[in-house]
């Protein structure tokens, strides 16, 4: 596909000329702490995406657990358990390279998302890891996020995707199976 150079947006000024200025409320909704509604949404969320950037590029990792598996500590700190997984460590390595992170929390059935941006640290402090013993799974480390920005994000994307509508979930049987995907990447049959 050829992208015509005269249609490429390459400056902030060009970008702003293409879009209207954001409404005042959209700007004012961004705060530098967790308001009570933000703490409540995080406590209801069983899923979020963690975005990181490091020397090897960008990573957006899905994270899930029971509702409220991410703990809030006051208005400025989040504690995120990290369990053993595929051991790629893309996001964790990125945090070491660059502590800036972005998180987008989803609450099933709720169209708005809740966004948090801040700086992360990785801790293997046993007392922090033991804070998450209620899952029965061993926590490998805890990602501690110091909040710099927090805000609700309009539900347009979820509404357009009809993410929570049962009719939109009917194609899952047509998706490739995990076995098919693994077979493609490994070149051998799986058991």
């Amino acid at each position: 596909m050829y992208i015509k150079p005269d249609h490429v947006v390459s400056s902030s000024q060009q970008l702003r000329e293409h879009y209207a200025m954001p409404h005042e409320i959209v700007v004012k909704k961004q705060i530098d702490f967790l308001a009570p509604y933000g703490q409540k949404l995080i406590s209801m969320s069983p899923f979020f995406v963690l975005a990181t950037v490091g020397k090897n590029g960008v990573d957006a990792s899905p994270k899930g657990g029971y509702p409220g598996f991410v703990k809030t500590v006051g208005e400025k700190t989040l504690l995120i358990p990290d369990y053993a997984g595929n051991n790629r460590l893309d996001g964790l390595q990125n945090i070491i390279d660059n502590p800036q992170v972005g998180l987008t929390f989803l609450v099933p059935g709720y169209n708005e998302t809740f966004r948090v941006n801040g700086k992360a640290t990785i801790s293997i402090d046993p007392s922090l890891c033991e804070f998450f013993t209620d899952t029965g799974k061993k926590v490998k480390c805890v990602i501690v996020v110091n909040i710099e920005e927090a805000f609700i994000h309009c539900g347009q994307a979820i509404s357009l995707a009809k993410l929570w509508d049962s009719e939109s979930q009917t194609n899952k049987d047509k998706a490739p199976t995990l076995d098919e995907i693994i077979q493609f990447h490994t070149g051998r049959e799986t058991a």
Side-chain angles (χ1 to χ4, degrees):
M1 171 181 222
Y2 176 72
I3 299 174
K4 297 176 183 172
D6 54 329
H7 292 283
V8 172
V9 176
S10 58
S11 72
S12 298
Q13 179 183 347
Q14 241 184 323
L15 182 62
R16 185 44 67 195
E17 289 170 359
H18 195 68
Y19 287 89
M21 291 300 290
H23 191 277
E24 180 182 3
I25 197 164
V26 173
V27 176
K28 285 186 173 182
K29 72 180 180 179
Q30 181 179 320
I31 54 179
D32 65 354
F33 63 95
L34 280 179
Y37 79 84
Q39 292 180 30
K40 180 163 185 146
L41 287 171
I42 290 171
S43 77
M44 295 170 64
S45 176
F47 179 85
F48 76 96
V49 177
L50 174 66
T52 59
V53 179
K55 293 176 191 170
N56 294 322
V58 178
D59 184 66
S61 295
K63 304 287 183 186
Y66 57 90
F69 75 102
V70 174
K71 308 291 186 203
T72 60
V73 180
E75 297 179 333
K76 295 290 282 183
T77 307
L78 297 177
L79 301 177
I80 304 166
D82 193 75
Y83 305 100
N86 61 20
N87 293 320
R88 285 182 52 103
L89 309 179
D90 299 317
L92 295 175
Q93 181 59 56
N94 283 351
I95 290 170
I96 290 170
D97 295 343
N98 176 355
Q100 288 296 144
V101 296
L103 301 86
T104 301
F105 290 90
L106 283 86
V107 175
Y110 188 73
N111 280 352
E112 285 69 32
T113 59
F114 187 68
R115 292 178 50 188
V116 174
N117 297 315
K119 287 196 172 109
T121 305
I122 300 168
S123 175
I124 56 172
D125 181 340
S127 65
L128 279 181
C129 293
E130 288 172 12
F131 193 63
F132 297 94
T133 57
D134 53 345
T135 64
K137 293 177 77 175
K138 183 174 173 37
V139 173
K140 297 294 285 183
C141 70
V142 175
I143 302 168
V144 181
V145 178
N146 293 312
I147 296 164
E148 296 175 338
E149 298 174 336
F151 54 97
I152 195 81
H153 194 100
C154 97
Q156 183 177 354
I158 290 176
S159 293
L160 288 172
K162 298 181 181 178
L163 190 61
W164 308 130
D165 294 351
S166 58
E167 309 88 56
S168 69
Q169 299 170 14
T170 58
N171 288 330
K172 64 184 174 187
D173 296 333
K174 296 178 182 176
T177 66
L178 182 58
D179 283 345
E180 291 170 335
I181 294 167
I182 290 172
Q183 185 176 357
F184 176 84
H185 285 281
T186 61
R188 55 189 156 90
E189 292 190 27
T190 57

